[in-house]
Amino acid sequence: MSDRFLNTDKVDDLLDTLFLHEDVRVDLVSRLRGLVLAADPAICEEVKYGGILFSAGSPFCGIFSHPRHVMLEFSRGAELADPDHLLEGDGKKRRHLKLTVPTDLKRKKVREFVLQALAATVAVPRQRMGKKTRP
């Protein structure tokens, strides 16, 4: 079995819990999860901090369900290109998208942000702490 699916039971349990207690958010969480996992077969998921965290060598995003929305958080979101100012948050590193309806997935360019975050995470070994490694 692939490392990618070692935590599948925990993720399924979390989704089951959401389904019992929440409305449209369970659909958003399921759609977001599928979208993130489809970005690259190397992406792994785990339940942590009350949500689903995704990594590709290191964590790059997470899905968290809140009472009025679903949040897709990007570990290094402050580095992502965001010309339409869709990302929220003002911390040093993290940014997030708040989603309330399925149409937000397209309107807030979720796929594009996931791909950017993934690419930034994969590039980390080549560039640490603002210093480029020698060729």
Side-chain angles (χ1 to χ4, degrees), residues 21-34:
H21 300 287
E22 301 177 10
D23 47 22
V24 71
R25 289 172 292 152
V26 73
D27 182 47
L28 281 172
V29 169
S30 294
R31 287 180 188 216
L32 279 170
R33 180 179 176 227

Side-chain angles (χ1 to χ4, degrees), residues 106-118:
K106 186 170 184 175
R107 189 175 62 81
K108 294 196 175 186
K109 303 179 180 180
V110 170
R111 184 174 186 276
E112 289 86 347
F113 283 116
V114 168
L115 293 174
Q116 271 194 76
L118 177 61

Side-chain angles (χ1 to χ4, degrees), residues 36-87:
V36 172
L37 290 173
D40 191 296
I43 294 172
C44 297
E45 63 182 347
E46 68 177 314
V47 173
K48 200 168 190 178
Y49 310 119
I52 305 170
L53 293 184
F54 300 92
S55 62
S58 64
F60 69 95
C61 74
I63 299 171
F64 301 91
S65 183
H66 296 275
R68 297 178 189 245
H69 64 275
V70 172
M71 185 171 71
L72 178 61
E73 182 179 275
F74 298 98
S75 302
R76 298 173 59 205
E79 299 172 19
L80 302 179
D82 183 19
D84 298 320
H85 307 287
L86 298 170
L87 293 171

Side-chain angles (χ1 to χ4, degrees), residues 125-126 131-135:
R126 285 178 255 147
K131 296 178 182 178
K132 293 184 180 180
T133 58
R134 295 181 187 184

Side-chain angles (χ1 to χ4, degrees), residues 2 6 13 19 26 50 53 57 59 92 123 128 134:
S2 163
L6 286 177
D13 289 345
F19 183 73
V26 73
L53 293 184
K92 283 183 173 182
R128 290 262 185 215
R134 295 181 187 184

